């Protein structure tokens, strides 16, 4: 009787072990695919947003350089994040759906990065057939991504139906929808970009827009000298960005001299950022100048790379405090 009981226990243990293992395998598989679906949903959301922004940009309708660059930076940032999510996936799921989604994200990222560089080269440099070919290649990559993503949707929906898996809402994403005529579409993009080149063309121009004494001067002589109150004087310097992209780390040099040309004050300052067509003020430290002596304030804003006009980067103004009677 003990032998029968022993064999019964062994058989039950084997049965429970078998079903327990099956349950664990099914649970693990379910966990892996759910994790993948969560990641895939984030990827779909990121590229849904980016593809809509991209479609607006390639119309080149009343677009400016700063808007183009900042929008494209965000588009590529989203594409990089989507790619990183899959490349560093927390899921060990290895179905064909994941492979298709990986192909889509890699192709989209490659195409977007190439497109951004090619378009800016097209408008900033002398026209070259190489730029048009590069744009065509970028469109071809985007098309490969579109096709892979479309196949991903088909396969993941079939898997959902066959295995009764609940799916998050995956967006329909299409950057170009073109498979065979990328070069023809590239010609259209090139024509649009060149037609709107004035808006996309890189323009960099920083200037000293004006100055004002603080407190304000009380009068101006016939020679253009500012008459100041007998107290510490500061200067408000207005720096303007007349270009079409944001400038960073704009350097201002200030020098104050007396009638003999001797320096009585020197300052090197920096404005962190100035947006396109924006002005910002910098206030000089208050200083005390000697009465009855004309002083001159020299202001220089350092030219930025490829600046078009740097003649307006220099500004000077003269002022004095009247001597005592």
């Amino acid at each position: 009787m003990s032998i029968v009981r022993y064999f019964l226990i062994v058989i039950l243990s084997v049965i429970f072990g078998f079903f327990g293992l099956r349950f664990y395998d099914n649970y693990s598989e379910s966990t892996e695919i759910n994790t993948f679906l969560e990641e895939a949903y984030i990827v779909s959301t990121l590229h849904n947003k980016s593809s809509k922004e991209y479609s607006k940009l390639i119309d080149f309708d009343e677009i400016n350089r700063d808007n183009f660059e900042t929008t494209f930076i965000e588009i590529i940032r989203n594409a990089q994040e989507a790619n990183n999510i899959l490349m560093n996936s927390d899921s060990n799921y290895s179905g064909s759906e994941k492979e298709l989604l990986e192909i889509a994200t890699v192709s989209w990222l490659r195409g977007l990065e190439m497109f951004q560089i090619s378009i800016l080269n097209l408008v900033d440099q002398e026209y070259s057939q190489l730029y048009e070919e590069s744009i065509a290649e970028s469109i071809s990559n985007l098309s490969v991504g579109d096709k892979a993503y479309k196949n991903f949707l088909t396969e993941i929906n079939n898997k959902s139906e066959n295995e009764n898996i609940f799916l998050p809402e995956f967006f329909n994403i299409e950057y170009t929808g073109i498979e065979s005529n990328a070069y023809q579409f590239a010609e259209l993009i090139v024509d649009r970009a060149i037609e709107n080149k004035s808006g996309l063309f890189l323009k960099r121009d920083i200037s000293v827009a004006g100055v004002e004494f603080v407190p304000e001067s009380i009068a101006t002589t016939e020679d253009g000298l500012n008459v100041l109150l007998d107290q510490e004087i500061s200067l408000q310097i207005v720096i303007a960005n007349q270009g079409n992209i944001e400038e960073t780390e704009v350097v201002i040099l200030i020098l104050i001299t007396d009638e003999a040309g001797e320096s009585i004050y020197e300052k090197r300052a920096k404005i962190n950022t100035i947006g396109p067509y924006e002005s910002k003020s910098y206030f000089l430290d208050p200083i005390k100048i000697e009465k009855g002596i004309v002083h001159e304030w020299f202001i220089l804003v350092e030219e930025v790379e490829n600046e078009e006009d740097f003649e307006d980067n220099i500004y000077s103004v003269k002022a004095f405090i009247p001597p005592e009677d």
Side-chain angles (χ1 to χ4, degrees), residues 235 237 252-256 263 265-269 282 284 297-300:
L235 191 70
I237 304 169
I252 311 168
L253 303 176
I254 303 105
L255 173 66
I256 304 175
S263 172
Y265 180 91
E266 295 181 17
K267 176 81 172 183
R268 186 179 188 274
Y282 177 81
L284 200 60
W297 283 252
F298 292 94
I299 300 97
L300 168 68

Side-chain angles (χ1 to χ4, degrees), residues 47-63:
H47 275 289
N48 178 56
K49 178 182 178 182
S50 291
S51 62
K52 290 179 179 178
E53 294 295 333
Y54 174 82
S55 65
K56 294 177 184 177
L57 287 183
I58 62 174
D59 282 338
F60 301 105
D61 184 23
E62 298 182 3
I63 194 170

Side-chain angles (χ1 to χ4, degrees), residues 212-215 231-236 283-287 297:
E212 184 173 322
F213 286 102
V214 182
Q231 60 186 82
E232 287 192 332
I233 299 296
S234 178
L235 191 70
Q236 178 185 4
F283 288 87
L284 200 60
D285 303 327
I287 65 166
W297 283 252

Side-chain angles (χ1 to χ4, degrees), residues 29-136:
E29 182 179 356
S30 176
T31 300
E32 296 296 344
I33 192 169
N34 284 335
T35 301
F36 166 66
L37 291 176
E38 290 174 3
E39 295 171 343
Y41 172 73
I42 297 174
V43 169
S44 180
T45 301
L46 288 169
H47 275 289
N48 178 56
K49 178 182 178 182
S50 291
S51 62
K52 290 179 179 178
E53 294 295 333
Y54 174 82
S55 65
K56 294 177 184 177
L57 287 183
I58 62 174
D59 282 338
F60 301 105
D61 184 23
E62 298 182 3
I63 194 170
N64 61 64
R65 178 62 171 250
D66 186 64
N67 177 258
F68 183 88
E69 289 197 350
T70 54
T71 302
F72 232 108
I73 288 172
E74 184 65 23
I75 287 174
I76 291 177
R77 184 181 293 121
N78 287 342
Q80 290 172 337
E81 182 181 350
N83 187 60
N84 290 337
I85 286 172
L86 291 184
M87 294 302 102
N88 302 290
S89 175
D90 292 328
S91 170
N92 292 321
Y93 181 71
S94 58
S96 59
E97 302 86 3
K98 185 175 183 179
E99 183 179 355
L100 286 167
L101 192 58
E102 288 175 348
I103 293 172
T105 56
V106 169
S107 300
W108 281 335
L109 177 58
R110 186 182 297 122
L112 290 169
E113 290 177 332
M114 187 178 296
F115 185 88
Q116 180 195 33
I117 294 171
S118 301
I119 285 292
L120 294 181
N121 282 334
L122 177 69
V123 298
D124 289 342
Q125 310 295 332
E126 185 177 346
Y127 173 79
S128 169
Q129 183 68 30
L130 292 176
Y131 299 143
E132 187 168 334
E133 291 174 358
S134 180
I135 291 172

Side-chain angles (χ1 to χ4, degrees), residues 63-325:
I63 194 170
N64 61 64
R65 178 62 171 250
D66 186 64
N67 177 258
F68 183 88
E69 289 197 350
T70 54
T71 302
F72 232 108
I73 288 172
E74 184 65 23
I75 287 174
I76 291 177
R77 184 181 293 121
N78 287 342
Q80 290 172 337
E81 182 181 350
N83 187 60
N84 290 337
I85 286 172
L86 291 184
M87 294 302 102
N88 302 290
S89 175
D90 292 328
S91 170
N92 292 321
Y93 181 71
S94 58
S96 59
E97 302 86 3
K98 185 175 183 179
E99 183 179 355
L100 286 167
L101 192 58
E102 288 175 348
I103 293 172
T105 56
V106 169
S107 300
W108 281 335
L109 177 58
R110 186 182 297 122
L112 290 169
E113 290 177 332
M114 187 178 296
F115 185 88
Q116 180 195 33
I117 294 171
S118 301
I119 285 292
L120 294 181
N121 282 334
L122 177 69
V123 298
D124 289 342
Q125 310 295 332
E126 185 177 346
Y127 173 79
S128 169
Q129 183 68 30
L130 292 176
Y131 299 143
E132 187 168 334
E133 291 174 358
S134 180
I135 291 172
E137 185 178 349
S138 71
I139 292 170
S140 179
N141 280 315
L142 291 173
S143 300
V144 170
D146 289 350
K147 182 66 175 178
Y149 183 77
K150 186 177 181 180
N151 290 339
F152 157 75
L153 290 180
T154 299
E155 293 208 12
I156 201 68
N157 283 320
N158 288 339
K159 187 177 186 66
S160 173
E161 292 177 2
N162 295 334
E163 301 181 21
N164 196 28
I165 298 174
F166 176 77
L167 296 181
E169 180 184 0
F170 292 118
F171 298 95
N172 292 315
I173 299 170
E174 193 172 83
Y175 280 92
T176 67
I178 296 168
E179 295 181 28
S180 59
N181 58 343
Y183 279 88
Q184 181 180 346
F185 189 66
E187 290 179 1
L188 174 62
I189 294 295
V190 168
D191 289 342
R192 288 179 185 173
I194 292 177
E195 183 180 347
N196 293 272
K197 189 172 182 177
S198 59
L200 282 175
F201 186 78
L202 178 61
K203 179 183 178 183
R204 306 187 71 180
D205 186 11
I206 292 290
S207 67
V208 183
V211 300
E212 184 173 322
F213 286 102
V214 182
E216 294 182 19
S217 58
I218 57 177
T220 304
T221 69
E222 293 181 356
D223 297 332
L225 303 178
N226 290 271
V227 182
L228 306 176
L229 294 171
D230 182 13
Q231 60 186 82
E232 287 192 332
I233 299 296
S234 178
L235 191 70
Q236 178 185 4
I237 304 169
V238 181
I239 305 299
N241 179 5
Q242 299 173 340
N244 58 10
I245 65 167
E246 181 181 67
E247 296 292 352
T248 59
E249 298 188 347
V250 177
V251 176
I252 311 168
L253 303 176
I254 303 105
L255 173 66
I256 304 175
T257 61
D258 59 19
E259 289 178 341
E262 296 292 330
S263 172
I264 67 165
Y265 180 91
E266 295 181 17
K267 176 81 172 183
R268 186 179 188 274
K270 183 169 64 176
I271 297 178
N272 292 329
T273 61
I274 307 180
Y277 310 111
E278 181 185 12
S279 296
K280 284 191 175 181
S281 293
Y282 177 81
F283 288 87
L284 200 60
D285 303 327
I287 65 166
K288 186 70 175 178
I289 62 174
E290 188 175 347
K291 298 176 185 178
I293 296 178
V294 175
H295 291 75
E296 186 168 9
W297 283 252
F298 292 94
I299 300 97
L300 168 68
V301 57
E302 289 188 353
E303 63 182 275
V304 295
E305 185 179 359
N306 299 320
E307 184 165 357
E308 291 188 357
D309 177 18
F310 47 84
E311 291 183 0
D312 54 4
N313 290 35
I314 302 174
Y315 196 102
S316 68
V317 61
K318 294 181 178 181
F320 70 99
I321 297 174
E324 293 180 355
D325 295 334

